[in-house]
Structure formats: C-alpha cells, structure tokens
Amino acid sequence: MPSSTIQVHDKSFEVFISKEKIHERIAELAEQISKDYAGLNPLFIGILNGSFIFASDLFRALSIDAEISFIKLASYKGTSSSGNVITAIGMDENIYQRHIIITEDIVDTGKTMVTFLPELLQRNPASVKIASFLSKPEARQHKIEPDYIGFEIPNKFVVGYGLDYDRLGRNLPDLYIISSNSPEGEV
Ligand code: IMP
C-alpha cells in the first residue's frame, strides 16, 4: 500500500486513485480506442510534460497500429486582439489527413486545448479527438470536452501519475489529492 498521506513542498496530499484503478481504467480506454480506430493508424500527440506517463501507458495498451509523437506547448501573451497565443514546440509531424488523438494529463479550465486546437486544425488533419487522463468539469471555462476521459474529478488540486505540484510529484504511481486541511493557496 502506498503511504496514504504525503508531503509535496508545503502541502499534504492523500491517495485518491490507486495505481491499480488507474491501470484498469487505462486498459478500458485503450480497448475503446482500439475499436474506434481499427485500421486508421491514428497519431497520438502527447502534450509534455504532464501527459508523458498517461500517453505511454495508454499507447502500450493499444491492440492496433498507431504512432506517437510528443510536443510541448509554450503560451505567451499575444497582442490585445489575439489574446493568449500558444506555440507548439516539436510539432514536426505531417498531420495532413491523419487521425489525431491528443493526449493530455488533465483538462481543467480548457484554456490550453481551446488555444491549441485551432492551430492543429489549420493543418487539416482527418480528425482530432482528445484523450485526457483527468477532467475537472466544475473548473471548465471554455467549451472543451475530452472525447476519452480516464476519470472525472472534483475541482481540487492533484499530483502524481505525471502531474506535478511545482515540478515535484510526477513520479508518484498513484494519484493524490490535496488534503482538506492543507492550505489551498496558490498552486
Ligand atoms: P487548462 O486549465 O485546461 O488549460 O489546464 C492546463 C494545465 O494545468 C494542465 O495540462 C495541467 O498541466 C495543469 N493542471 C491543471 N489542474 C492541475 C492539477 O490539479 N494538478 C496538476 N496540474 C494541473
């Protein structure tokens, strides 16, 4: 059993979803995706850093031909008319007429995906879907709904299984949620 309470920087976290539950759910997602994309050779685009563990576990559980590539998104403030701009670093695959599955660690406000999707669509892929390990529906500020969701969780901060709190916690095999007695503060 993992230690049920852990400390990451100044905050304490409790086990929320065990690694066994995570792996069971990923097997289900992989089975569904393998059915939906049979014969289509989808291209998974993993968003670094947070999705590297989810993307690799999901990818290994597929039973169909598929490809994978990773990119990093850097956001900066554009001109006042364009708002926030996102550049995709390492987006060197030709995605024209390809079936794309974006893999994300978590869709929270939806801002990252709502900013990145138009850039991807400009390159005329055959289709684009989002597979997100986690989704926080209560936090959503943009009209984005992942097509494949590992777990819907409450609007609380989580770490582990690739997700970090100020760079730490990504290597925890289970998913931890901030303890109710931990100061929420700025995370
Ligand atoms: P967005 O608000 O949907 O744009 O989410 C952007 C990013 O915030 C995600 O890809 C995560 O890297 C990060 N994030 C959101 N919620 C959490 C959390 O609870 N723990 C760790 N990272 C988070």
Side-chain angles (χ1 to χ4, degrees):
M1 272 296 283
S3 167
S4 63
T5 305
I6 55 153
Q7 187 78 16
V8 182
H9 293 298
D10 58 332
K11 303 205 188 313
S12 49
F13 292 85
E14 289 157 24
V15 175
F16 184 52
I17 307 176
S18 70
K19 59 175 182 293
E20 291 78 15
K21 281 231 167 71
I22 293 174
H23 290 127
E24 264 171 39
R25 180 69 189 124
I26 284 172
E28 289 170 3
L29 285 180
E31 196 183 332
Q32 184 64 53
I33 292 174
S34 299
K35 271 190 196 137
D36 295 349
Y37 285 85
L40 296 177
N41 186 23
L43 171 62
F44 284 74
I45 298 185
I47 312 295
L48 294 174
N49 294 324
S51 85
F52 77 111
I53 292 179
F54 171 58
S56 62
D57 280 350
L58 181 67
F59 192 69
R60 279 181 298 178
L62 297 169
S63 58
I64 54 166
D65 280 345
E67 298 175 26
I68 190 164
S69 184
F70 287 89
I71 61 167
K72 198 153 188 172
L73 298 179
S75 97
Y76 58 92
K77 275 225 174 310
T79 61
S80 52
S81 60
S82 57
N84 260 17
V85 179
I86 272 197
T87 3
I89 304 164
M91 189 70 210
D92 45 16
E93 298 281 337
N94 182 0
I95 65 164
Y96 180 73
Q97 290 303 310
R98 295 294 309 270
H99 293 280
I100 307 299
I101 302 173
I102 302 171
T103 57
E104 257 287 36
D105 53 354
I106 182 165
V107 176
D108 182 21
T109 64
K111 187 172 161 198
T112 309
M113 281 301 104
V114 93
T115 323
F116 176 54
L117 277 176
E119 165 158 348
L120 205 64
L121 291 170
Q122 262 179 16
R123 301 173 190 229
N124 292 317
S127 67
V128 178
K129 286 200 173 172
I130 300 169
S132 187
F133 170 50
L134 301 172
S135 172
K136 285 183 185 168
E138 295 158 14
R140 206 77 87 247
Q141 292 171 14
H142 301 273
K143 220 172 164 287
I144 286 286
E145 213 31 65
D147 303 277
Y148 301 98
I149 297 173
F151 301 92
E152 287 200 340
I153 62 165
N155 192 8
K156 294 231 159 113
F157 198 79
V158 290
V159 289
Y161 198 70
L163 289 99
D164 73 315
Y165 167 37
D166 197 11
R167 294 169 171 269
L168 289 183
R170 292 195 199 276
N171 55 325
L172 296 163
D174 306 273
L175 186 75
Y176 288 78
I177 195 159
I178 195 155
S179 300
S180 42
N181 57 0
S182 202
E184 282 281 342
E186 261 300 294
V187 284

